[in-house]
Amino acid sequence: MTLRSSGSHRGQEPSPAELSPESSLRGTLRAPLGPTVGVLLNNASVTPPRRLLLVHAHPDDETINNGATMARYVAEGASVTLLTCTLGEEGEILVPELEQLAAGQADQLGGYRIWELRSAMAALGVSDMRFLGGPGRYRDSGMMGTEANQHPRAFWNAALDEAVAHAVAVVREVRPQVVVTYDENGGYGHPDHIQAHRVAMAAVDAAADPAYRPDLGEAWTTAKVYWCCVPRSVLQQGIDALAAAGEESFFQGVTDAAEIPFAVPDEEVAAAVDGRSFASHKDAAMRSYPTQIMVDGPFFALSNNLGQEVLGTEYYRLVRGERGSAGDGPHGWEDDLFAGLAG
């Protein structure tokens, strides 16, 4: 499958002042050191009524899984915070003129992906983005079973108590009603996705415990936790759409979604967030990752050059908290991650 990558390779570069700890975009490139709940609006501290925290492994994971959701909630006035655990240093590079940035050469891809992330978040309207423990604290671990797993800074090898403490500081500062991350297998078994799941889930528990590290802020109980997912029926629709377009599916040789290990039975899905009105935002955000993603119409591909459908509606399993009212869809799924929560 041949996909065309278009759009800018990077967003507008920030000034040195924007990179400083005093940046008006609080926490953009640094880890929070204490509880400073709220954002500055007209020189007054205001806590947005709805607050969403997403925990992801590498830059681009958030856009692929939740880009439309993030753009929708920003547009609706919710606070959206992204916590990314690594810089994605081990990613394969799709732009030939940037191949020298790879881990086996200059090893500068992580720094470049910071700029890609900032451009993508600008497209989605997200201004609060953090790196777990600060940018570069934890390194991309590479795929399971590779030499990169053994790197001393690999996130896969991180001391869990230390990583959890960094995440608890964010949870207690942001005080989200909703946290989004991966399932226990990280979706598809990547070590960093699995570790991000472990850190996020442990941080939700620890943040709610007043006895845990009171120096990290006042205890906070997250009302709902969701795991990203793709329903089996939606995967089947994507396979069929690619076949109809004459393209090669990401799931090469697979015609039945039931054969895909991470396909989630429809009955396990709790929410379908309709972000189709923000499809252009998600498209622009995906195009902000030229080293990682190729986009062509309704499909995209990673380094394997095999197509997947870009989803404007994004899906979630509810694993903590009470399910809210059903939406209008045929499955009775929630259409709002904040459904059932007091306003």
Side-chain angles (χ1 to χ4, degrees):
M1 176 179 188
T2 301
L3 292 170
R4 300 181 298 277
S5 177
S6 62
S8 172
H9 279 202
R10 13 186 334 176
Q12 182 178 359
E13 293 191 6
S15 67
E18 289 179 304
L19 289 175
S20 72
E22 293 74 32
S23 167
S24 61
L25 297 182
R26 229 176 2 95
T28 298
L29 293 177
R30 62 190 179 92
L33 299 179
T36 53
V37 180
V39 294
L40 291 178
L41 298 174
N42 299 323
N43 297 319
S45 181
V46 177
T47 301
R50 299 195 299 170
R51 300 176 300 280
L52 171 65
L53 171 65
L54 304 101
V55 181
H56 278 288
H58 318 101
D60 80 4
D61 290 327
E62 80 296 321
T63 297
I64 293 170
N65 287 281
N66 315 115
T69 299
M70 297 168 75
R72 169 182 155 175
Y73 282 120
V74 168
E76 292 179 357
S79 169
V80 177
T81 298
L82 171 65
L83 180 60
T84 306
C85 298
T86 79
L87 303 185
E89 296 92 337
E90 296 290 335
E92 296 183 57
I93 299 175
L94 301 178
V95 183
E97 60 266 32
L98 295 177
E99 288 178 349
Q100 69 274 12
L101 298 177
Q105 299 186 50
D107 197 15
Q108 297 297 309
L109 179 59
Y112 194 88
R113 291 183 74 174
I114 290 177
W115 303 115
E116 292 184 323
L117 175 65
R118 293 196 65 174
S119 178
M121 292 306 95
L124 299 178
V126 175
S127 61
D128 189 9
M129 50 202 127
R130 330 278 183 101
F131 285 99
L132 186 68
R137 168 78 64 153
Y138 301 110
R139 183 181 175 88
D140 183 347
S141 307
M143 297 300 291
M144 193 71 79
T146 65
E147 185 178 348
N149 297 170
Q150 306 307 315
H151 193 285
R153 288 195 301 107
F155 186 45
W156 184 237
N157 299 321
L160 192 60
D161 56 349
E162 176 191 80
V164 168
H166 290 309
V168 167
V170 178
V171 172
R172 288 182 174 174
E173 177 186 352
V174 174
R175 306 176 81 76
Q177 295 100 334
V178 177
V179 168
V180 169
T181 190
Y182 314 104
D183 65 19
E184 63 269 42
N185 192 45
Y188 67 99
H190 192 293
D192 290 333
H193 287 232
I194 295 171
Q195 188 77 318
H197 160 85
R198 293 171 177 168
V199 169
M201 298 304 292
V204 166
D205 290 338
D209 180 1
Y212 177 84
R213 294 290 302 271
D215 58 305
L216 296 178
E218 184 180 354
W220 174 257
T221 300
T222 299
K224 300 174 82 173
V225 177
Y226 290 92
W227 293 344
C228 305
C229 70
V230 184
R232 187 172 293 158
S233 62
V234 173
L235 280 171
Q236 188 62 55
Q237 291 169 14
I239 292 171
D240 295 343
L242 279 164
E247 302 288 6
E248 187 177 19
S249 169
F250 175 73
F251 313 108
Q252 191 169 12
V254 175
T255 59
D256 186 350
E259 300 176 38
I260 301 171
F262 60 81
V264 174
D266 287 17
E267 58 270 21
E268 294 184 13
V269 178
V273 177
D274 186 352
R276 288 175 294 177
S277 296
F278 301 94
S280 62
H281 297 71
K282 181 170 181 174
D283 180 83
M286 293 185 76
R287 293 178 190 275
S288 296
Y289 289 109
T291 67
Q292 304 300 306
I293 303 174
M294 295 179 290
V295 183
D296 191 359
F299 306 116
F300 75 97
L302 304 176
S303 59
N304 50 31
N305 203 36
L306 297 176
Q308 302 179 68
E309 187 177 18
V310 177
L311 298 178
T313 299
E314 294 163 343
Y315 302 88
Y316 303 89
R317 295 168 61 190
L318 179 64
V319 295
R320 300 279 180 89
E322 296 296 323
R323 189 164 177 167
S325 59
D328 297 329
H331 299 283
W333 295 331
E334 296 173 314
D335 59 5
D336 180 5
L337 299 183
F338 295 90
L341 301 181

